[in-house]
Amino acid sequence: MSRLVPPPLSLYLHFPWCVRKCPYCDFNSYTLNGQLQETAYLEALERDLETQAPEVAGREVISVFMGGGTPSLFPPSAIDRVLAAARRHLTFASDVEVTMEANPGTIERGRFAEYRAAGVNRVSLGAQSFDTRTLQVLGRIHSPDETRRAAEELHAAGLTNFNLDLMYALPGQDVAAAMADVESALALKPTHLSHYQLTLEPGTVFAAQPPADLPTDDTAAEILAVCGARLAEAGFSQYEVSAYAQPGRQCRHNLNYWTFGDYLGVGAGAHGKITRAGDDLDAFGHGDLAAGAHGDLRAGSHSDLSARTHFRDPGDAIIRTTQSRDPRRYVAAPTATRTPVPEAQRPFEFMLNALRLIDGFEIPTFEERTGLPWETVVPEVEQLLTRKLLEVQGPRLRTTIVGLRFLNNLLLSFLEETPQTTGAFGLSTAI
Ligand SMILES: C[S@@+](CC[C@H](N)C(=O)[O-])C[C@H]1O[C@@H](n2cnc3c(N)ncnc32)[C@H](O)[C@@H]1O
Ligand code: SF4
């Protein structure tokens, strides 16, 4: 008997172009050279939706996230078209959360009202910093005042449920400057704040030529503590490594990722995860389950783990989907590659997400979403409890403050001990 229970379902839609590629960014995003291929890309998104929708037939979509790249490069009519297509092919919950990422440098007057009319009810605005020189070093296309104007537009459009992305430990930044950024962000009255430590991601310009004046680890830790305290005082509680929200304003979409929920991944380079529980043998071709040797984590090959795939029930599976990263290839063939997540890999993948949450998770959630009995991870969990990296809080298991600080090392405990896999993952805590 399968233990897998299908979790809540979300939809991710990727928009891969930006006005200019930022030197720190390793998202699947490209500088827009020439005209936006709007029609061709929208048609590909629609074909992709149509192909993937049968896999989640009968399930409700609780959240939609349009991310990038820069979705706000697309006009409201395009967002309207893609959301209409999604509603045609999928069933949206009556209170579905629909988030769109926006770059303040792309927002013309009146735009947010039109995005709202298209169905957007939450926005994530990439502020990054409110210091003009820092924004220039980060290669951003906007000024602090443009971010302020974009936030005013959001309020004017009635899109008051919005997130601001801020980064910290930025070149030349001290604790006071990081605090000034948090104060500037709070003044714009967001409901949610993402506070990401700048990471030098492999393959980016910053990784090749790191800025000379990066703060030390001690300064970064102090910034995190001081800004976290200020945010708490302002009524924003931290619910994940980098996420702070007012009560009831946590991002439903990201919470679904972090609780190992399901999501359709639509668009160039989009990843998806779909749980298939028990007896509905028609939802996936079994040929798909035999294929593939590649997982969804940022770095490292999982081929060694895939070789050990076995399923309790032939209809019981967790499937990862991946689309071509290159927008041209995607437009030519928007067909996802499917790869099953082997049982041996599921504890690590679950913990990679759930242990980022400040409140952790309950044991039944682990069992329902991995399809595995809790006993599978008891030795590792007991060891981490003894080392005070995990703790029990009522019915929940969560990381301690020290555990959060060393989350990447802690997670290695859930990786299978093989010479090929141990330490082979680039476990970035930035998302
Ligand atoms: C896809 S982008 C957001 C939307 C839009 N493209 C923008 O930049 O305004 C997601 C967020 O990830 C964060 N981010 C990207 N690269 C990062 C890095 N190397 N280190 C830390 N945070 C990063 C930034 O805060 C960024 O706003
Ligand atoms: S941070 Fe945002 S705007 Fe900059 S390259 Fe990445 S996706 Fe594009």
Side-chain angles (χ1 to χ4, degrees), residues 81 123 195 268 320 326 350:
R81 181 173 160 181
V123 167
H195 200 222
R320 292 258 180 220
D326 175 5
F350 179 91

Side-chain angles (χ1 to χ4, degrees), residues 99-118:
T99 305
M100 186 179 88
E101 281 185 342
N103 183 315
T106 62
I107 297 304
E108 294 159 15
R109 191 151 282 275
R111 268 231 169 167
F112 279 131
E114 292 178 62
Y115 286 131
R116 186 182 175 198

Side-chain angles (χ1 to χ4, degrees), residues 10 24 34 118 127 131 137 202 209 231 245 253 255 258 275 339 397 410 429:
S10 295
Y24 54 84
D131 179 74
V137 173
Q209 298 156 327
L231 286 167
H253 187 86
L255 264 180
W258 295 323
T275 300
T339 312
L397 182 74
L410 182 164
T429 50

Side-chain angles (χ1 to χ4, degrees), residues 107-407:
I107 297 304
E108 294 159 15
R109 191 151 282 275
R111 268 231 169 167
F112 279 131
E114 292 178 62
Y115 286 131
R116 186 182 175 198
V120 172
N121 56 28
R122 185 175 181 275
V123 167
S124 177
L125 196 62
Q128 320 309 351
S129 171
F130 289 85
D131 179 74
T132 304
R133 197 196 70 88
T134 303
L135 287 176
Q136 282 161 2
V137 173
L138 293 176
R140 299 293 294 179
I141 58 164
H142 55 89
S143 65
D145 279 344
E146 279 172 301
T147 305
R148 292 189 180 98
R149 273 199 293 278
E152 279 166 23
E153 286 277 320
L154 282 169
H155 285 288
L159 282 168
T160 51
N161 186 23
F162 69 91
N163 167 63
L164 291 177
D165 279 344
L166 274 188
M167 292 195 288
Y168 71 94
L170 298 173
Q173 193 179 53
D174 58 15
V175 177
M179 271 294 272
D181 275 349
V182 167
E183 290 298 347
S184 299
L186 287 173
L188 303 185
K189 303 206 178 317
T191 53
H192 190 288
L193 212 136
S194 299
H195 200 222
Y196 299 119
Q197 178 169 354
L198 176 68
T199 44
L200 301 184
E201 299 288 356
T204 61
V205 173
F206 270 16
Q209 298 156 327
D213 47 356
L214 286 173
T216 61
D217 287 349
D218 284 348
T219 304
E222 198 184 338
I223 290 174
L224 179 67
V226 171
C227 292
R230 174 68 188 103
L231 286 167
E233 187 189 283
F236 288 73
S237 38
Q238 186 183 12
Y239 67 103
E240 188 265 351
V241 173
S242 311
Y244 301 77
Q246 289 178 340
R249 297 302 198 165
Q250 290 92 344
C251 175
R252 201 183 296 174
H253 187 86
N254 286 340
L255 264 180
N256 197 31
Y257 289 156
W258 295 323
T259 48
F260 212 46
D262 278 1
Y263 47 99
L264 283 183
V266 171
H271 295 285
K273 167 187 171 278
I274 299 297
T275 300
R276 165 145 177 30
D279 13 38
D280 180 14
L281 291 170
D282 292 332
F284 287 100
H286 287 143
D288 293 333
L289 301 185
H294 173 78
D296 176 40
L297 303 172
R298 283 196 164 195
S301 158
H302 304 164
S303 51
D304 39 347
L305 292 175
S306 306
R308 271 175 272 144
T309 303
H310 66 97
F311 295 103
R312 202 182 303 283
D313 175 317
D316 163 0
I318 299 174
I319 308 292
R320 292 258 180 220
T321 65
T322 316
Q323 287 286 7
S324 302
R325 285 174 66 82
D326 175 5
R328 271 170 311 181
R329 281 194 192 196
Y330 172 76
V331 166
T335 315
T337 305
R338 293 190 175 82
T339 312
V341 181
E343 287 188 350
Q345 204 173 303
R346 292 182 198 167
F348 173 74
E349 293 213 10
F350 179 91
M351 298 295 178
L352 179 67
N353 287 287
L355 290 179
R356 300 176 66 94
L357 290 169
I358 303 304
D359 287 340
F361 63 91
E362 294 189 16
I363 290 170
T365 310
F366 173 90
E367 297 194 322
E368 289 172 10
R369 299 192 180 181
T370 63
L372 301 171
W374 180 245
E375 291 70 45
T376 318
V377 290
V378 161
E380 289 81 7
V381 167
E382 280 186 346
Q383 208 191 47
L384 292 166
L385 285 169
T386 309
R387 290 165 63 197
K388 299 204 178 339
L389 296 173
L390 292 182
E391 65 186 7
V392 175
Q393 180 78 6
R396 307 182 75 85
L397 182 74
R398 65 179 193 184
T399 38
T400 59
I401 291 170
V402 181
L404 262 189
R405 190 154 179 215
F406 299 103
L407 187 57

